Amino acid sequence: MASAKEISPRQDLPVHALSTSPSASFHSSAGSFGLAGSFGLAGRIIPLANAKQLKPFATKDIKVLLLENVNQAGRDILTQQGYQVEFLKSSLPEDQLIEKIRDVHVIGIRSKTKLTARVLKEAKNLIVIGCFCIGTNQVDLQYAAEQGIAVFNSPFSNSRSVAELVIGEIIALARQLGDRSNEMHNGTWNKVSNKCWEIRGKTLGIIGYGHIGAQLSVLAEAMGMSVIFYDVSNLMALGTARQVETLEVLLAEADFVTCHVPELPETKGMIGQPQLELMKDGSYLINASRGTVVDIPALIHAMRSGKIAGAALDVYPNEPAGNGDYFNGDLNMWGNDLRSLKNLILTPHIGGSTEEAQSAIGVEVGQALVRYVNEGTTLGAVNLPEVTLRSLTMDEPNNARVIYIHRNIPGVLRKVNEIIGDHNVDKQMTDSRGDVAYLMADISNVDTAIIKALYESLESLSSRIMTRILY
Ligand SMILES: NC(=O)c1ccc[n+]([C@@H]2O[C@H](COP(=O)([O-])OP(=O)(O)OC[C@H]3O[C@@H](n4cnc5c(N)ncnc54)[C@H](O)[C@@H]3O)[C@@H](O)[C@H]2O)c1
Ligand SMILES: O=C(O)CC[C@@H](O)C(=O)O
């Protein structure tokens, strides 16, 4: 078997520019296409030792834009591929984002960059989006899929960090730690025990028992809390936790309520005035999910009335683009009201911001992006069907990988197979997700003229969203 060291440029293939994007502008310049040395770059992170790296173009032609201070580990993975990586610490206002996104093939973001249909419409060269976080609500996933743009995230690399933060906040709220600390900073000694509690024996109500909620459940029980949870799915309760039938039951029973649901139309304003009224007198609320889940003016009212004894907010309906740009009246009307409340912990969306979480996310999403660009593998994509084929090896030198992203309508496969069926199709996989389908086929014994003909035939089909041929 050939080893990775033996990977060499495909000298037999003449320079040829095959588009991998809906627009012709993705074509690499003829001079750089199939550059000698573009296979076999040092520092590859794809683990298969014998895998041939499929490349439709010289890696240096791939333009990557990383926003929101994506972790170094992720940046390294992409730069080691030879891609051109531009890195910015903050997100961008929409007009600047549109300018930049026109040019890039890959974009990496976190939670603040809104990739709406309006923005993505301008992204003529974009083939893939990496969300270096859990949430993908900031991306119009459906629109991206309809343009053949894959979206990847890191589904649980920061779950533990969020769960640990919430545990810390439960204790901090129960003991009014934020207030005592502020008082000391201001020179006041205020030794009180009034309405300060142990958390042992108290009930924690978790709304959304997914990756974070379940982690939190285990940690809270270990600290002597009773755990109940509410989730739209019927889930296995960990330890002695108990699923309750309705949100109302949870709100009425819990001493501490914590939200861990995604941002969805159904979760918007999920905790508003009626829900706060159902909570126990003197109970606590924590939100480290998304800012739209809790109605903040209603929370302010409930805290002023004493109904809610304390709260911790990590997320807000409108968050600033970068550090130092403190949230203010322009972003959120009630900023000053929040700041004036007692026993309210305000953090700047740091639930997942630990060294461990950020580097794990960097590696996971960075690798997913490289696999997608270089091999077309969609495993882990959140908006396209998951399709993969085993990697080609150097024992299969004249193979090409055809990727055809198309509208999921009757008769497409017959037409595609009429095009590729005259050749030796070694393996093929296709799957659909809603209106979009993804086909991947490895074809052997092809030369550049055949690849070009295949590409043009597939591009001419009316079902086409995007064609890529990797060789
Ligand atoms: N503060 C941070 O830094 C931070 C970090 C990571 C994640 N998050 C947020 O936390 C959210 C949850 O993360 P996760 O990894 O646990 O997600 P997850 O997908 O693993 O779990 C979410 C759970 O919520 C449930 N759910 C969905 N809609 C619901 C509804 N209407 N009512 C009740 N339950 C509902 C789902 O069934 C699922 O079990 C993410 O979507 C993200 O927005 C924030
Ligand atoms: O790091 C971020 O910006 C987002 C963190 C968190 O909300 C997530 O969705 O993973």
Side-chain angles (χ1 to χ4, degrees), residues 163-179:
E164 288 188 11
L165 179 77
V166 173
I167 286 291
E169 289 176 337
I170 292 170
I171 298 174
L173 291 174
R175 301 293 293 274
Q176 304 175 2
L177 284 191
D179 290 355

Side-chain angles (χ1 to χ4, degrees), residues 68 110-112 132-138 154 158 288-290 315 349 352-353 358 361:
E68 301 188 57
R110 288 170 64 184
S111 55
K112 292 190 186 65
F132 286 79
C133 56
I134 292 182
T136 53
N137 55 293
Q138 68 280 39
S154 176
N158 65 19
S289 60
R290 283 293 180 261
V315 286
H349 203 148
S353 296
Q358 291 307 310
I361 290 171

Side-chain angles (χ1 to χ4, degrees), residues 134 158 162 210-212 231-232 260-262 270 288 290 314 349 351-352:
I134 292 182
N158 65 19
V162 180
H211 291 111
I212 297 171
D231 198 292
V232 280
H260 300 289
V261 288
M270 191 175 189
R290 283 293 180 261
D314 188 43
H349 203 148

Side-chain angles (χ1 to χ4, degrees), residues 200-415:
R200 176 174 53 165
K202 306 299 184 298
T203 298
L204 175 63
I206 301 174
I207 306 173
Y209 202 68
H211 291 111
I212 297 171
Q215 274 280 318
L216 182 57
S217 171
V218 174
L219 296 177
E221 281 204 343
M223 304 189 69
M225 300 189 85
S226 301
V227 175
I228 56 175
F229 66 90
Y230 168 68
D231 198 292
V232 280
S233 301
N234 190 17
L235 295 169
M236 188 185 79
L238 299 176
T240 58
R242 175 168 58 88
Q243 183 159 13
V244 295
E245 289 278 326
T246 63
L247 178 60
E248 288 69 28
V249 170
L250 180 138
L251 296 171
E253 282 188 29
D255 300 299
F256 294 82
V257 172
T258 185
C259 306
H260 300 289
V261 288
E263 181 177 86
L264 297 170
E266 312 85 270
T267 61
K268 190 168 183 208
M270 191 175 189
I271 304 295
Q273 190 192 338
Q275 290 73 27
L276 290 163
E277 278 170 11
L278 288 176
M279 287 175 65
K280 283 179 163 178
D281 290 345
S283 57
Y284 303 85
L285 178 72
I286 297 170
N287 184 21
S289 60
R290 283 293 180 261
T292 50
V293 172
V294 171
D295 176 350
I296 292 187
L299 174 65
I300 292 169
H301 180 74
M303 290 188 75
R304 281 190 179 144
S305 74
K307 172 79 183 175
I308 301 297
L313 299 178
D314 188 43
V315 286
Y316 309 87
N318 298 303
E319 297 181 1
N323 284 348
D325 191 6
Y326 192 60
F327 78 91
N328 52 41
D330 293 339
L331 286 172
N332 300 295
M333 298 297 289
W334 29 253
N336 284 335
D337 294 325
L338 271 190
R339 283 199 284 268
S340 69
L341 288 169
K342 288 283 190 195
N343 209 20
L344 173 63
I345 299 171
L346 298 175
T347 48
H349 203 148
I350 51 158
S353 296
T354 61
E355 297 285 356
E356 292 92 336
Q358 291 307 310
S359 76
I361 290 171
V363 171
E364 186 177 6
V365 180
Q367 289 190 342
L369 293 174
V370 169
R371 271 194 293 267
Y372 186 75
V373 172
N374 293 5
E375 298 187 33
T377 302
T378 58
L379 281 187
V382 296
N383 68 334
L384 290 179
E386 296 192 89
V387 175
T388 188
L389 292 177
R390 73 172 165 77
S391 292
L392 293 172
T393 69
M394 292 310 294
D395 302 332
E396 301 158 291
N398 293 320
N399 287 44
R401 174 162 293 177
V402 171
I403 293 160
Y404 184 62
I405 310 174
H406 60 91
R407 292 190 293 118
N408 185 20
I409 48 178
V412 176
L413 289 184
R414 182 172 43 77
K415 287 191 176 150

